[in-house]
Amino acid sequence: MLCLIKNGKALVGGKLKKCDILIEDEKISQISDKIDISAQKIIDAKDKLVLPGGVDVHTHMNLDLGKYVSVDDFYTGTVAASYGGTTTIIDHIGALEKGASLTSMIDHYHDLADDKAVIDYSFHGALYELNDKLLDEISKLYDDGIVSIKIYTTYSGKLDDGQMLKVLKKAKQTGSVVCVHCENDKAIEELRNEAIANKKLSPIFHAKTRPDQTEAEAINRLIYLSEIADFPKLYIVHTSSKKGLDEIISARKRGVKNLYCETCTQYLTLDESKYTEGGNKEGIKYIMAPPLRKKEDIDALWEGVKNGDVDVIATDHCPFFYERDKLLYKDNFIDCPGGAPGVEERMEVVISEGLKRNISLGRLVDLLATNPSKIFGLYPKKGEIKVGSDADLVIMNNSSYEIKEENRHSNCDYTTYQGYKTSVKVESVILRGRIILDKGKYFAKKGEGKFIPRKF
């Protein structure tokens, strides 16, 4: 089937260009000022933006925490993503039983995602413990197209410094990307114990017991471990603070290589006042790790977006029901499941907010689609409008609307961005040449998303 997009303002080569785009056999086959050809489907995109489909490399679908499981599965979560203009996700997988192999964990996630996802997807491997067998499996995962591995410096599945160094050395051999959740576990444990002893358990103390120093210290430590390992690809997930970003900037200035910085929509738009506005009932919605920071952290991260210090904007989409799962803990943040929805809002909110801050659309799309594709082995298949790439496209119009829970598509019962007024709106979404959303009509079918093996 031939599909022709005409008259749009397309982001091609980092610049907006009025052009036509021809799609054939799931790929972009031609980009030209004017294409006159008979096509089965013609989309008139006059006065609209045509962008590459978003690539969100940090989601948690079906994440099983034991007592709670994130409430979006690979169907509802990818439906929400597609409504927001995201056409590919890479999901951070959860743990299985102690001693489970990496292969069995990936197989389990294939069971969760295959025949359910409506957009394309991949997985990051994850290590919640370490032994020689698991370490050796990193090579097998790489050969199978899973070219990234996640480790934690906190939570029950954290690795110690020696174990993390072993993973970094192995990744240097294989070429894998090591994604790290960076917070100082023991410092947080001490501060949380103090909060419990002093009965300081309202939502704001979630932020106070995970201060920005705990993030910055762990980022600093991982960077030095990566130096010892001769600079494997080190990817810091969900950087939330100026102090954390400053560690990355400082390291790059002294010559550290292969160091990547991710932040998320929430850390660019929301601050810790959310923990007190509306009282504990509202504040408990925003329990996530790292926590929301201060307004000066938001400004520093946007400066990092503008000048190239931040490489990727993702979501850490990990929703739990407010009424059922979170509200119960409004007076005891310690036991509240951590995470919030965001996979649908990312493209519209980041573009709206970024343009307001005079950041170019090309720069924003780099962080929302192109860079994540390059860093994680999806490029040039994904992340850019170019001949030969998958025809994953999002058409946006320049109209403002208000984000509300009623116009969301996640399974979650609230949105983190309630009341936010965008300056752009997703109108149509194309996945590998097939229109899955068009002016409010939805055509995606359960299971049409494909697993994408990645490679460099």
Side-chain angles (χ1 to χ4, degrees):
M1 173 178 171
L2 292 179
C3 177
L4 180 60
I5 301 172
K6 293 191 67 67
N7 307 315
K9 296 177 182 176
L11 191 72
V12 180
K15 295 180 180 179
L16 279 177
K17 173 185 178 183
K18 186 178 178 182
C19 62
D20 297 347
I21 300 171
L22 183 65
I23 298 166
E24 187 174 4
D25 297 329
E26 300 191 349
K27 304 287 185 183
I28 296 170
S29 63
Q30 189 178 343
I31 302 169
S32 183
D33 292 344
K34 190 174 183 181
I35 300 174
D36 290 317
I37 192 170
S38 178
Q40 287 92 332
K41 179 67 177 178
I42 297 176
I43 299 174
D44 186 0
K46 185 179 181 181
D47 299 326
K48 295 168 187 173
L49 300 172
V50 183
L51 309 176
V55 179
D56 188 350
V57 294
H58 192 157
T59 63
H60 293 280
M61 309 300 179
N62 283 111
L63 182 66
D64 189 344
L65 300 180
K67 186 175 181 180
Y68 297 101
V69 179
S70 62
V71 299
D72 271 326
D73 61 17
F74 278 88
Y75 175 65
T76 64
T78 57
V79 166
S82 65
Y83 267 98
T86 289
T87 52
T88 306
I89 62 167
I90 306 180
D91 200 77
H92 285 284
I93 68 173
L96 291 178
E97 70 279 358
K98 189 173 179 60
S101 68
L102 282 173
T103 302
S104 66
M105 293 163 70
I106 294 295
D107 288 345
H108 173 61
Y109 266 73
H110 274 296
D111 290 340
L112 293 173
D114 297 354
D115 301 321
K116 298 177 185 68
V118 303
I119 60 173
D120 290 348
Y121 59 95
S122 187
F123 311 119
H124 302 284
L127 288 165
Y128 297 94
E129 57 183 313
L130 193 68
N131 54 47
D132 290 344
K133 184 179 178 182
L134 287 170
L135 200 61
D136 288 341
E137 276 195 276
I138 294 174
S139 298
K140 182 184 185 306
L141 257 62
Y142 188 94
D143 292 339
D144 291 341
I146 308 289
V147 298
S148 48
I149 195 87
K150 175 83 169 284
I151 58 176
Y152 293 81
T153 64
T154 189
Y155 301 134
S156 60
K158 65 183 180 296
L159 302 187
D160 64 33
D161 291 352
Q163 291 172 323
M164 290 190 291
L165 180 58
K166 287 181 180 179
V167 173
L168 289 163
K169 286 182 174 180
K170 183 67 175 181
K172 176 65 178 179
Q173 296 173 10
T174 61
S176 303
V177 183
V178 181
C179 306
V180 191
H181 176 128
C182 289
E183 292 182 289
N184 185 301
D185 184 71
K186 287 299 180 183
I188 292 169
E189 181 182 349
E190 174 64 17
L191 293 171
R192 284 162 67 96
N193 287 339
E194 287 177 6
I196 293 167
N198 293 309
K199 295 183 170 55
K200 294 182 175 180
L201 299 175
S202 61
I204 188 60
F205 290 99
H206 171 67
K208 291 183 181 299
T209 57
R210 304 181 96 96
D212 54 3
Q213 293 93 338
T214 63
E215 177 180 74
E217 184 281 330
I219 290 173
N220 176 279
R221 184 163 27 113
L222 262 294
I223 290 170
Y224 276 110
L225 288 174
S226 79
E227 288 193 51
I228 296 171
D230 194 24
F231 304 117
K233 297 171 184 174
L234 175 63
Y235 182 93
I236 308 299
V237 304
H238 52 43
T239 306
S240 67
S241 65
K242 180 181 187 301
K243 284 188 175 70
L245 180 59
D246 283 348
E247 293 293 340
I248 293 169
I249 293 170
S250 175
R252 287 169 172 163
K253 284 180 178 177
R254 71 169 185 266
V256 170
K257 298 178 289 186
N258 299 326
L259 175 60
Y260 305 101
C261 174
E262 171 196 282
T263 192
C264 299
T265 319
Q266 59 269 30
Y267 304 121
L268 293 167
T269 54
L270 308 175
D271 65 63
E272 65 177 20
S273 66
K274 287 292 184 182
Y275 295 120
T276 53
E277 286 178 356
N280 293 0
K281 283 186 176 181
E282 282 297 303
I284 203 67
K285 292 178 178 178
Y286 301 92
I287 300 300
M288 60 186 75
L292 300 178
R293 304 294 187 186
K294 300 181 186 300
K295 288 181 180 178
E296 49 262 42
D297 295 293
I298 293 175
D299 290 339
L301 289 168
W302 274 114
E303 187 63 26
V305 167
K306 184 181 293 185
N307 62 26
D309 294 323
V310 174
D311 300 292
V312 172
I313 301 172
T315 62
D316 197 7
H317 177 82
C318 188
F320 298 93
F321 286 131
Y322 170 62
E323 294 283 350
R324 187 192 73 185
D325 301 338
K326 288 201 170 230
L327 185 57
L328 178 66
Y329 302 107
K330 65 182 178 62
D331 300 314
N332 178 17
F333 77 87
I334 295 285
D335 295 326
C336 181
V343 75
E344 182 170 357
E345 295 86 350
R346 181 185 67 129
M347 295 277 283
E348 292 175 341
V349 170
V350 169
I351 290 172
S352 299
E353 196 68 19
L355 293 177
K356 192 190 305 181
R357 290 173 178 261
N358 297 314
I359 299 172
S360 73
L361 183 62
R363 175 69 188 141
L364 296 169
V365 170
D366 277 347
L367 277 74
L368 293 166
T370 313
N371 286 356
S373 295
K374 289 179 176 178
I375 292 168
F376 287 103
L378 289 165
Y379 189 84
K381 187 178 181 69
K382 307 290 186 182
E384 191 169 355
I385 298 176
K386 63 186 300 183
V387 172
S389 294
D390 281 1
D392 296 348
L393 301 166
V394 55
I395 299 173
M396 290 187 174
N397 59 46
N398 293 295
S399 62
S400 177
Y401 85 107
E402 184 177 338
I403 292 174
K404 303 176 183 179
E405 192 276 324
E406 308 92 81
N407 57 35
R408 300 297 86 190
H409 300 87
S410 164
N411 199 35
C412 194
D413 56 357
Y414 74 99
T415 170
T416 319
Y417 305 93
Q418 182 76 24
Y420 184 90
K421 291 183 179 178
T422 73
S423 62
V424 294
K425 189 177 191 303
V426 172
E427 184 173 287
S428 303
V429 177
I430 299 171
L431 173 70
R432 284 181 278 104
R434 177 170 140 73
I435 299 168
I436 61 172
L437 173 67
D438 190 31
K439 299 176 183 176
K441 295 181 179 180
Y442 196 68
F443 305 102
K445 296 177 181 177
K446 194 174 189 178
E448 71 177 295
K450 291 182 180 179
F451 172 74
I452 308 295
R454 296 174 285 130
K455 63 181 180 179
F456 296 111

